Amino acid sequence: MDKFRIGVIGFGTVGAGVVETILKNAPLMAQRTGMEIQLTRIADLDTTTDRGVKVPEGVLGPDAMALINSDEVDAVVELVGGTTIAKKFVCEALKRGKPVVTANKALLAYCGKELFELAKANNTEIYFEASVGGGIPCIKALREGLVANRVSEMYGILNGTCNYILSRMENEKANFSMVLEAAQKAGYAEANPSTDVDGFDTANKAAILASLAYGKWFTLDDVTVRGIRDVTLTDIEYASELGYRIKLLATIRKVADKLQLCVQPSLVSKNSLLGNVSSVFNALWVKGDVVGSTMYYGRGAGRAATSSAVVADLMDLALNRKHGCVRRVEPFPVYDEALQLATKSEIKSRFYVRFQVADKAGVLARIAGVFGAHDISIASVSQCEDKAANDTIPMLILTENASQSAMESALNEIRQDPAVAQPPVCFAVEDLND
């Protein structure tokens, strides 16, 4: 049986999971691919910490470049993370014609076009299933399973940390800071949680998905990003009373030749599939013109889920090697170069708006008048009876479809009304047709 030899750079949580999976399931992988997949090299600066995995003698060392240059390595797995040294390792492997498997969504979102062009120039390839959705095969679904479809919409809950925090806030009636602290103690959030809770991790994934679906390169800079720090328990509870849950949602929606590409807290119906994705789980909902609606669900991060996706990519590469083919599936087929990002005046959705207003006659009429002047139709209004110490009450408004720019202009005007005691709170509402 022919051999397919693997080198892994980065022996942290995910790297240890990949190594463990290869060592544990090598016979199964050989049975399914007809190739003997061997782990021949691991590179990490820390060669002494116990990862809970027994590595064969002489496999682990500190020199990543020696691994890349080794004649005993046919494919390189990059699990270092980041966009600096990881990029160097990936580039060096590609220049040597060695295929790369990576889980590095930031690297692909920032440098993907350059890296895939380098892979093509050297007749090799990059596999990246684990970069979006952890163990969920959403990359393969877009590249292969839905290749006969034009994708019109995608909505994703793509960060387990944020979903865990929002789920616990709802279930335990706790505020953001308390749940974030608990998430950090439980290992679901980093000591510096900004990449997750400020939406950048989800935005990197959204850029990759948009590039896959529409064949035009998008980066983090193309994504409108808003995190979950300003989501309060108050709004979670009011949204619940209205039949919604607040989720950090990646929205990728094509209308004519314009693409809405954003990450923001959004109200999603409790009756929808995405509305029932809770805790650390991820999901991606995709609508194609032939297949209709499909959804992909599972663990979006962690040692086991991510290593499952990485090893699946390695098995694909082994099959390519066995049958003497390279680039069997084009990673980003270019077919929609005319597609442009939508402006705020072109991005439309429904909105949830909460005002804290004086309990006086005429306030609702003035707010409705401003909305009407900006071509925003009101779908429903709820005025809560709970009166604050300053004699103000909450007012909840759900709108019909309106442009983002119109909503911003209307809220800026309404803020000037002396009867409005606090800055309005506003979130998009996505009515998903499952």
Side-chain angles (χ1 to χ4, degrees), residues 129-138 158 205 282 298-301 305:
E129 183 65 64
S131 67
V132 179
I136 309 170
C138 50
L158 302 174
K205 297 169 182 176
N282 282 197
R299 293 190 177 274

Side-chain angles (χ1 to χ4, degrees), residues 76 90 94 97-101 115-116 118-120 122-128 143 316-318 320-321 325-331:
V76 174
V90 170
L94 296 175
K98 295 186 177 183
V100 171
V101 174
L115 295 177
F116 280 94
L118 183 61
K120 186 173 184 178
N122 289 278
N123 197 34
T124 190
E125 49 204 333
I126 305 172
Y127 273 65
F128 53 103
R143 290 176 69 184
D316 260 350
L317 287 173
N320 287 356
R321 172 65 66 91
C325 62
V326 178
R327 305 181 63 80
R328 178 180 57 83
V329 178
E330 282 296 323

Side-chain angles (χ1 to χ4, degrees), residues 407-422:
M407 179 56 70
E408 288 181 2
S409 297
L411 293 182
N412 285 335
E413 187 174 336
I414 291 169
R415 283 189 185 94
Q416 310 309 314
D417 191 317
V420 178
Q422 299 173 4

Side-chain angles (χ1 to χ4, degrees), residues 355-376:
F355 299 97
Q356 194 73 22
V357 300
D359 188 14
K360 296 178 180 179
V363 177
L364 173 58
R366 293 201 298 274
I367 290 175
V370 174
F371 276 169
H374 289 274
D375 199 26
I376 300 171

